[in-house]
Amino acid sequence: MSPEELWGPAEPAGPSGATVRKRTLRTASIALGLGAPAAVYLWHTDPHQPGQLLLPCPFKWATGLLCPLCGGTRMAYDLMHGDVLTAFHDNAVLLALGGPLAAYAVARWLVAGLGGRTYRPRVTARGNAVVLGIAAVWMVARNLVG
């Protein structure tokens, strides 16, 4: 028996390097095009002041509790204005762990994509458990402390 008879036909090769580069540039351009106006709006809108036109946290709205991401908008505002200490106060775990992790993932994706390679991060079950565990502990701690 041939391998095709056992497992079916071989999968076609992935996209070419030029296709991956074009897709990466297009996706990055769209993200930049959407993110830049949002950043400009946030720059001029202080989320520390009440009455601003910003999306509220649906978890906090429904439960009255802070979720692990609550304070992220205020943190981004403070970082854009160079106030790292206040940003740390807004959401310490997101600043210390989430920001560097997101920057690493985006940088890996860009470097691979511009090099013509596809990058797909793989998160193991243990990795998911660690992230969810950190988020749960952070949520409980920040709601108990206040």
Side-chain angles (χ1 to χ4, degrees):
M1 263 188 166
S2 71
E4 288 82 17
E5 292 172 337
L6 288 174
W7 299 296
E11 291 186 27
S16 70
T19 303
V20 173
R21 273 189 291 282
K22 287 179 188 175
R23 188 182 313 148
T24 301
L25 284 171
R26 183 178 60 239
T27 304
S29 298
I30 290 170
L32 186 62
L34 294 173
V40 169
Y41 177 76
L42 183 59
W43 174 269
H44 296 290
T45 306
D46 186 356
H48 295 284
Q49 302 300 319
Q52 302 296 335
L53 184 59
L54 294 166
L55 295 175
C57 174
F59 185 81
K60 186 174 181 183
W61 173 81
T63 65
L65 299 172
L66 297 171
C67 80
L69 298 176
C70 276
T73 304
R74 292 188 307 272
M75 182 189 76
Y77 174 85
D78 293 332
L79 286 175
M80 287 174 21
H81 287 85
D83 192 354
V84 178
L85 190 59
T86 305
F88 187 81
H89 179 266
D90 291 332
N91 195 323
V93 170
L94 186 59
L95 179 62
L97 299 177
L101 181 63
Y104 171 77
V106 168
R108 281 278 312 261
W109 170 74
L110 276 173
V111 167
L114 295 176
R117 298 176 314 277
T118 302
Y119 171 68
R120 289 192 180 95
R122 307 242 190 274
V123 181
T124 63
R126 180 177 289 164
N128 279 330
V130 167
V131 169
L132 291 174
I134 290 170
V137 168
W138 174 236
M139 187 175 106
V140 169
R142 69 189 313 206
N143 281 294
L144 287 178
V145 172

